[in-house]
Amino acid sequence: MAKAPVLTPQAEDFPRWYQDLINKAELADNGPVRGTMVIRPYGYGLWERMQQEMDARIKEAGASNAYFPLFIPQSYLTKEAEHVEGFAPELAVVTHGGGKELEEPVVVRPTSETIINEYFSKWVQSYRDLPLLINQWANVVRWEMRPRVFLRTTEFLWQEGHTAHATFEEARDYAARIHREVYADFMVNLLAIDVVLGRKTPRERFAGAINTLTLEGMMGDGKALQLGTSHELGTNFSKAFGTTYLSKDGRQELAWQTSWGTSTRMVGGLIMSHGDDNGLRVPPRLAPVQVVVLAIKDDEAVLAVVRGLGDRLKAAGIRVQVDDRTDVPFGRRAVDWELRGVPVRVEVGPRDLESGTAMLARRIPGGKEPVAVDALAGLLPKVLEEDQALLLRQSRERREARTTDAATVEEAAEAALAGGWARIPWAVLGTEGEASLAEQSVSVRCLIGEDGSVPEADDAPGTLAIVARAY
């Protein structure tokens, strides 16, 4: 009788595979309130690495971290009509506190444009105060009707950047800089996801923005996942909150603004982009544990070699963990590390000591081979970089192989419903075609130029629409 697989195969039921992996790899559990999640230590370790790498890039772009309250007066949201209309179905509103009805209801933070503008209007007085570049790491609440762990949850973790500038051009350029130098650099070079950079259509634009830039990744089942967005807000919030400054010419001017964010949704994207039927495959540059060194048996000589090797690899700059839990069967431990997607396992047993080797198991390409113990510290950095590059190449090849050029709305819908993406001229699709696709649960993920660039306008000549089903 064949042994049942640890995970439901992707080809059999991709959503079930996703949930199985989250459970078996001990990434997260469902919270007690519908739509919430408990992020377990290994899952949170992935998020911490994402935070660290993203935070460094945000600071390199000139922004500083700050923190704003979780509770926002409801009246703040009503100041920008399009914004409140866009978020109204998702708001969680508090009406009682301390056993009493509140004089004014407060909204649990869905995003912070309104409360941050309340303070920007105080902090910005002169052109000398600009640009003002703020980032916040926080949680937000959006009441989700169809929750899915990491992808759509009522409460999730994220970073949200908010900036104020003297001119439209400065704000536009900064939003584009975040889009490319922070988000795209991180997603391509750390997450190894070959994202498409584009511009959202007016229908898909962030509520209150004049332009939204997006990064879309193709998941293992061919659907699209929006992994981050950067918005030009124009002067919409500045007008609503009176965020003005005294220019060099002595005139009161409205500040031009941006906002931008990424979230724990990236953990879901990581799982669905790189996972296989054996579990996660974590890109080595991102991995909290790049190499795990396992003792196969409870043998003093083996344990000494394993612990010494762990120290040498750590000294070589590798994020390493020693697994000397010989009271747990070796096979079970190996499967657990495979499920968690640690890029490399180094396995050491009594026979290996005799030959001065260790068994090197590579999670990403698969396969095992004996390697001299003394060569590991020099070899592993190269192995990790090769495997990082392999994941990115596989991500790109999947997207290219499953993207079809369509000449009609019907062809675009057919490609998307078949589990792929379609490229179609925006001049052919248009807003009517976009509405027709939406009725089939297919959306325009973004607009791109013929050369893959980000169009400067919705109706720029040669603009193509990327069409897909999405999470």
Side-chain angles (χ1 to χ4, degrees):
M1 185 175 180
K3 187 177 179 181
V6 176
L7 303 175
T8 300
Q10 288 185 352
E12 182 179 312
D13 189 334
F14 194 85
R16 177 59 63 89
W17 165 84
Y18 176 80
Q19 194 60 51
D20 282 355
L21 198 160
I22 287 172
N23 292 334
K24 296 291 178 63
E26 299 182 345
L27 301 180
D29 275 329
N30 290 314
V33 175
R34 185 178 184 276
T36 62
M37 62 177 169
V38 175
I39 306 176
R40 300 185 68 174
Y42 190 72
Y44 199 82
L46 293 171
W47 175 241
E48 282 183 313
R49 285 286 302 141
M50 292 180 184
Q51 277 186 302
Q52 292 164 8
E53 293 289 345
M54 188 73 76
D55 195 61
R57 286 164 173 76
I58 289 169
K59 287 172 179 171
E60 184 66 24
S64 299
N65 286 336
Y67 186 79
F68 293 83
L70 174 68
F71 296 124
I72 302 172
Q74 192 174 43
S75 60
Y76 284 16
L77 271 78
T78 62
K79 289 185 179 181
E80 213 290 327
E82 185 180 350
H83 189 67
V84 70
E85 182 181 351
F87 278 99
E90 301 175 335
L91 296 181
V93 182
V94 179
T95 59
H96 288 72
K100 298 180 180 180
E101 185 173 355
L102 302 178
E103 290 184 10
E104 179 186 352
V106 297
V107 172
V108 184
R109 174 175 53 216
T111 180
S112 297
E113 279 76 10
T114 58
I115 194 166
I116 287 179
N117 262 278
E118 180 72 12
Y119 289 87
F120 274 17
S121 66
K122 297 178 181 179
W123 299 343
V124 174
Q125 301 297 323
S126 161
Y127 69 90
R128 296 184 181 89
D129 300 320
L130 299 174
L132 180 55
L133 313 175
I134 296 292
N135 179 63
Q136 172 174 243
W137 290 96
N139 63 335
V140 293
V141 171
R142 298 178 185 177
W143 214 258
E144 181 57 56
M145 295 297 103
R146 297 182 298 277
R148 195 166 184 190
V149 174
F150 289 123
L151 299 178
R152 291 187 178 277
T153 49
T154 296
E155 179 192 13
F156 55 91
L157 307 180
W158 78 343
Q159 60 74 210
E160 52 176 319
H162 300 268
T163 70
H165 304 262
T167 67
F168 161 76
E169 290 79 12
E170 288 178 13
R172 177 201 61 197
D173 293 348
Y174 194 78
R177 180 180 181 185
I178 293 293
H179 188 223
R180 186 168 296 279
E181 295 181 17
V182 176
Y183 291 168
D185 179 73
F186 170 77
M187 291 169 193
V188 171
N189 294 314
L190 267 293
L191 293 188
I193 300 175
D194 194 51
V195 289
V196 169
L197 282 67
R199 178 187 182 102
K200 285 290 189 185
T201 65
R203 181 189 182 99
E204 297 287 334
R205 199 173 283 159
F206 178 73
I210 62 172
N211 182 32
T212 290
L213 304 173
T214 184
L215 302 101
E216 304 284 334
M218 179 183 280
M219 302 296 100
D221 61 352
K223 289 184 180 179
L225 185 69
Q226 176 183 291
L227 287 159
T229 47
S230 182
H231 316 288
E232 297 173 48
L233 302 180
T235 58
N236 290 342
F237 289 90
S238 295
K239 289 174 184 175
F241 287 85
T243 308
T244 63
Y245 69 95
L246 189 66
S247 71
K248 290 181 181 180
D249 299 328
R251 295 194 303 269
Q252 286 292 327
E253 303 279 0
L254 289 167
W256 294 80
Q257 294 183 272
T258 76
S259 69
W260 26 276
T262 56
S263 74
T264 38
R265 172 177 282 202
M266 292 190 295
V267 180
L270 173 75
I271 295 167
M272 295 193 298
S273 289
H274 301 314
D276 61 20
D277 285 347
N278 294 317
L280 272 173
R281 294 190 303 163
V282 181
R285 293 180 190 171
L286 178 77
V289 178
Q290 295 174 310
V291 176
V292 60
V293 185
L294 293 94
I296 294 177
K297 289 189 177 180
D298 185 9
D299 178 284
E300 287 188 10
V302 168
L303 292 172
V305 169
V306 163
R307 291 162 184 163
L309 183 55
D311 290 339
R312 291 200 299 277
L313 296 181
K314 184 177 181 180
I318 296 170
R319 294 187 292 279
V320 63
Q321 183 165 332
V322 169
D323 186 345
D324 53 8
R325 302 170 298 155
T326 52
D327 58 328
V328 178
F330 169 74
R332 176 179 171 182
R333 287 183 286 139
V335 169
D336 285 346
W337 288 115
E338 186 170 58
L339 276 168
R340 293 184 173 197
V342 171
V344 172
R345 298 194 314 273
V346 176
E347 303 167 354
V348 182
R351 293 181 182 177
D352 299 303
L353 296 187
E354 296 174 5
S355 59
T357 64
M359 190 61 68
L360 180 69
R362 294 170 67 171
R363 176 68 183 90
I364 293 165
K368 287 186 175 185
E369 62 176 326
V371 174
V373 170
D374 292 341
L376 283 167
L379 174 66
L380 284 173
K382 179 184 177 183
V383 166
L384 294 170
E385 282 301 296
E386 287 176 355
D387 292 353
Q388 178 81 28
L390 175 60
L391 282 179
L392 179 60
R393 185 166 67 250
Q394 290 176 343
S395 174
R396 180 180 301 116
E397 289 172 351
R398 176 177 62 238
R399 178 174 56 78
E400 290 175 347
R402 299 178 72 170
T403 300
T404 302
D405 287 309
T408 67
V409 176
E410 292 73 24
E411 287 180 6
E414 182 180 353
L417 293 170
W421 290 10
R423 278 186 302 257
I424 181 171
W426 176 242
V428 172
L429 182 64
T431 55
E432 289 185 8
E434 184 178 19
S436 172
L437 290 176
E439 293 175 358
Q440 304 176 68
S441 299
V442 174
S443 59
V444 176
R445 303 313 306 157
C446 62
L447 302 175
I448 63 171
E450 290 178 318
D451 59 354
S453 62
V454 179
E456 293 185 3
D458 301 333
D459 57 354
T463 296
L464 301 172
I466 298 294
V467 171
R469 296 181 69 195
Y471 283 95

